[in-house]
């Protein structure tokens, strides 16, 4: 297992470099000039623009800028400075990342508990009324766009009933994040429920399940150990990649509820063409994706003893 972990870590290096280079090239080929954007509609002489671009290293060739940027990250954990405010990008990350981490964590817990719970109930009662009710519910959730669901929740529970605040405060308390977390995790929740239901219904007809029943094992052990253990493998694959998607896909949800997290900062960085900030944020998300991918692969060996790694 140790050799497998080392090999997987080495495989992450070219993936990380390739992904960040692609993002870097895409961001810096966007039209517009972030230095000129500092002055808004005010005129500025070309000499001042050239001096500022030279100070920030924006006059260097694009590959040299990428090399300098990655060297700063790897050797000094330096993500550069935000052009507009002059703040280190690490400070911007430090403010935005915990908020999005809490929001994505809450959405992830809701997705696991409700999604797997509904999927298990539907799978054990495949073809019955409960299964059909869960099917209709998940189809309804999947068919509603996230921004529409968020608008409905705000309109009903904030403006009509007054149970929640329409916007999240700068403190982003746990209670305030509950509504956006439900909106953020709703789509994935439906997919987890459908995936769990399908795999459990299929595994119920497997030979090893008939063997376990014939051996007279308690129903709790049959479902909890034999059925769940094998049925959750594809679900964990989805959950592992979905955590990164929750953090990166929070742009719409954070915008709806005015959450000051990574999604809102990414949106603001795109508007202002803040390449350094944008690449720094996306680099963190790439690391989250790679880490979750590694954890998912390692969990395979725990859940399925047939899998052996050299």
């Amino acid at each position: 297992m140790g050799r497998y972990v080392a090999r997987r870590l080495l495989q992450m290096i070219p993936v990380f470099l390739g992904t960040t280079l692609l993002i870097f090239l895409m961001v810096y080929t966007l039209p517009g000039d972030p230095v000129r954007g500092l002055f808004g509609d005010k005129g500025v002489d070309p000499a001042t623009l050239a001096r500022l671009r030279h100070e920030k290293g924006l006059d260097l060739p694009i590959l040299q800028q990428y090399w300098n940027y990655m060297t700063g990250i790897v050797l000094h954990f330096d993500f550069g400075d935000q052009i507009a405010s002059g703040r280190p990008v690490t400070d911007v990350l430090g403010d935005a990342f915990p908020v999005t981490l809490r929001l994505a964590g809450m959405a992830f817990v809701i997705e696991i508990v409700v999604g797997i719970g509904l999927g298990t109930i539907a799978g054990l009662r495949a073809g019955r009324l409960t299964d059909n009710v869960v099917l209709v519910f998940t189809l309804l959730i999947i068919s509603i766009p996230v921004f529409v669901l968020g608008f409905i929740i705000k309109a009903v529970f904030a403006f009509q009933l007054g149970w929640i605040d329409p916007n999240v405060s700068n403190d982003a308390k746990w209670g305030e994040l509950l509504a956006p977390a439900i909106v953020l995790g709703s789509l994935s929740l439906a997919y987890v429920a459908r995936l769990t239901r399908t795999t459990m219904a299929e595994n119920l007809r497997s030979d090893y399940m008939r063997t376990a029943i014939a051996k007279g094992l308690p129903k709790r052990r049959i479902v909890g150990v034999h059925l769940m253990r094998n049925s959750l493998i594809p679900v964990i694959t989805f959950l592992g990649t979905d955590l990164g998607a929750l953090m990166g896909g929070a742009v719409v949800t954070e915008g709806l509820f005015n959450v000051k997290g990574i999604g809102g900062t990414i949106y603001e960085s795109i508007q202002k063409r803040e390449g350094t900030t944008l690449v720094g944020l996306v680099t963190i998300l790439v690391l989250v994706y790679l880490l979750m991918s590694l954890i998912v692969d390692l969990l395979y060996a725990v859940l399925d003893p047939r899998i052996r790694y050299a």
Side-chain angles (χ1 to χ4, degrees), residues 89-111:
V89 174
T90 49
D91 288 353
V92 179
L93 287 171
D95 293 340
F97 194 74
V99 177
T100 297
L101 194 61
R102 268 186 288 167
L103 177 63
M106 291 178 67
F108 196 61
V109 171
I110 294 171
E111 176 183 337

Side-chain angles (χ1 to χ4, degrees), residues 148-266:
V148 174
L149 181 63
F151 178 78
I152 292 174
I153 287 182
K154 283 188 68 171
V156 174
F157 294 100
F159 298 123
Q160 297 295 328
L161 300 177
W163 291 357
I164 62 174
D165 294 326
N167 294 315
V168 175
S169 66
N170 291 334
D171 295 334
K173 299 176 182 177
W174 289 97
E176 295 175 330
L177 292 176
L178 181 59
I182 292 174
V183 174
L184 181 61
S186 59
L187 181 61
S188 299
L189 178 155
Y191 284 126
V192 168
R194 297 292 298 274
L195 191 58
T196 305
R197 181 263 175 206
T198 301
T199 54
M200 291 195 73
E202 289 178 355
N203 287 330
L204 275 174
R205 299 190 293 268
S206 302
D207 292 338
Y208 72 89
M209 286 299 300
R210 283 193 284 267
T211 303
I213 296 172
K215 288 168 65 177
L217 295 177
K219 185 176 181 180
R220 179 178 299 178
R221 180 173 177 80
I222 293 174
V223 175
V225 178
H226 296 276
L227 182 59
M228 293 289 291
R229 190 171 184 173
N230 290 282
S231 301
L232 289 183
I233 291 176
V235 179
I236 287 178
T237 304
F238 177 82
L239 290 173
T241 55
D242 192 55
L243 182 58
L246 286 176
M247 297 187 66
V251 177
V252 176
T253 306
E254 291 187 358
L256 276 172
F257 291 91
N258 195 32
V259 180
K260 305 296 184 185
I262 286 182
T265 308
I266 287 178

Side-chain angles (χ1 to χ4, degrees), residues 30-74:
L30 290 174
D33 186 343
V35 176
R36 186 180 292 277
L38 293 174
F39 299 92
D41 297 332
K42 300 177 182 177
V44 59
D45 61 282
T48 302
L49 282 177
R51 179 177 57 81
L52 290 175
R53 290 178 59 82
H54 178 71
E55 289 177 356
K56 299 180 182 304
L58 298 177
D59 56 344
L60 298 173
I62 185 67
L63 291 180
Q64 188 173 350
Q65 290 185 46
Y66 175 74
W67 171 258
N68 293 338
Y69 188 75
M70 295 308 298
T71 303
I73 292 178
V74 174

